[in-house]
């Protein structure tokens, strides 16, 4: 069965510092991978996705993620965060041939001035 | 472009009362539709999904039900709400393509059962 693990429930950082939000998944077959962001009291917004091709994926708001098949990871990175990046970030995986997304429990990114 | 709407945005209901949350999608045809619940401080739990009119799959047995009376309308209902039904309810849509499928989420409905 698929599962997604987001290793950090909270990540506090100072503004302009780099950040990495970790995501590992377990699946015995090929997968699609996603990162979503949720601002307070809002729905989820797609940040980026890996479907195929280049393992380094660039998304909106300066975020990028790298698919590492051997480590079954899809960590999210940003070289310099802003206060406005404060939000909840969700990693999700979908096995090819299925319709369902499996979400991690989320990582709360808190950016301090 | 496609848009997804949910209403109401917030709802406060007493225990034992009925529930009806609506989700509509514009700008696409025959989407897959999903209902998720997000409890406070937790991740997303898939409740129902639908691949077509009248076709509903339930992921978690509970006192909620879903219906899809029209292609782009998805309704979440309950006859009698429980305290544990409180949470943030998100609707999502997707369209399957040859390279995969991406889900897009609505703004959500915050439900508080008292």
């Amino acid at each position: 069965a698929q599962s997604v693990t987001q290793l950090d429930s909270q990540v506090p950082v100072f503004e302009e510092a780099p950040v990495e939000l970790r995501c590992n998944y377990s699946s015995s077959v090929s997968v699609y991978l996603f990162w979503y962001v949720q601002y307070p009291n809002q729905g989820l917004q797609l940040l980026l996705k890996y479907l195929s091709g280049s393992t380094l994926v660039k998304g909106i708001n300066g975020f990028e993620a790298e698919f590492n098949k051997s480590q079954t990871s899809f960590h999210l990175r940003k070289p310099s965060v802003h206060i406005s990046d404060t939000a909840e970030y969700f990693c999700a995986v979908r096995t090819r041939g299925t319709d369902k997304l499996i979400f991690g429990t989320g990582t709360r990114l808190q950016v301090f001035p | 472009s496609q848009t997804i709407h949910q209403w109401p945005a917030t709802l406060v209901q007493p225990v034992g009362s009925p529930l009806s949350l609506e989700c509509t999608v514009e700008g696409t045809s025959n989407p897959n539709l999903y209902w998720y619940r997000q409890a406070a401080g937790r991740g997303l739990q898939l409740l129902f999904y639908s691949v077509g009119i009248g076709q509903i799959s339930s992921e978690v047995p509970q006192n909620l039900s879903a219906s899809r009376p029209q292609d782009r309308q998805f309704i979440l209902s309950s006859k009698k709400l429980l305290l544990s039904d409180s949470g943030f309810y998100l609707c999502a849509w997707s369209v399957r393509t040859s390279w995969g499928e991406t889900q897009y989420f609505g703004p959500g409905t915050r439900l508080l059962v008292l």
Side-chain angles (χ1 to χ4, degrees):
Chain A
Q2 303 168 68
S3 67
V4 178
T5 302
Q6 291 184 244
L7 297 167
D8 306 297
S9 59
Q10 296 187 58
V11 174
V13 294
F14 287 109
E15 194 173 21
E16 298 183 4
V19 71
E20 179 180 82
L21 306 184
R22 296 180 291 171
C23 173
N24 287 86
Y25 67 93
S26 66
S27 176
S28 58
V29 297
S30 297
V31 296
Y32 301 120
L33 295 157
F34 307 81
W35 274 100
Y36 288 86
V37 59
Q38 184 180 32
Y39 299 102
N41 296 310
Q42 295 186 28
L44 274 68
Q45 180 180 2
L46 181 67
L47 264 182
L48 49 79
K49 59 186 176 184
Y50 170 78
L51 303 179
S52 66
S54 173
T55 57
L56 182 62
V57 180
K58 293 189 183 297
I60 62 171
N61 301 341
F63 283 94
E64 64 180 31
E66 186 160 17
F67 170 52
N68 188 318
K69 187 175 182 179
S70 63
Q71 297 185 9
T72 60
S73 67
F74 192 53
H75 301 334
L76 182 70
R77 302 186 186 99
K78 186 169 182 177
S80 176
V81 294
H82 301 137
I83 296 287
S84 59
D85 292 323
T86 294
E88 190 90 20
Y89 291 80
F90 291 94
C91 181
V93 63
R94 183 169 67 81
T95 299
R96 296 191 182 195
T98 69
D99 294 315
K100 291 178 259 186
L101 273 179
I102 306 298
F103 283 87
T105 51
T107 297
R108 171 126 180 100
L109 175 64
Q110 181 76 49
V111 182
F112 295 93
Chain B
S1 64
Q2 300 88 359
T3 55
I4 179 169
H5 305 279
Q6 286 186 245
W7 63 89
T10 59
L11 190 61
V12 181
Q13 291 286 92
V15 169
S17 64
L19 173 74
S20 181
L21 303 182
E22 189 164 341
C23 170
T24 59
V25 181
E26 296 176 357
T28 186
S29 297
N30 196 30
N32 291 345
L33 295 171
Y34 305 82
W35 276 113
Y36 290 87
R37 176 169 58 201
Q38 185 178 26
R42 299 179 65 180
L44 279 77
Q45 179 186 36
L46 178 63
L47 302 175
F48 301 94
Y49 72 97
S50 171
V51 299
I53 296 174
Q55 300 178 62
I56 309 294
S57 295
S58 175
E59 290 297 300
V60 183
Q62 55 202 322
N63 69 319
L64 298 172
S65 62
S67 62
R68 185 168 178 176
Q70 299 179 42
D71 181 44
R72 287 168 286 180
Q73 185 184 33
F74 204 23
I75 297 173
L76 183 69
S77 303
S78 174
K79 293 181 179 178
K80 287 186 177 182
L81 284 168
L82 306 173
L83 287 174
S84 57
D85 291 325
S86 293
F88 194 46
Y89 287 82
L90 290 159
C91 181
W93 71 272
S94 69
V95 174
R96 183 174 291 177
T97 64
S98 58
W99 61 83
E101 177 189 310
T102 301
Q103 290 186 20
Y104 298 93
F105 286 79
T109 294
R110 187 163 300 283
L111 172 66
L112 180 60
V113 182
L114 300 176

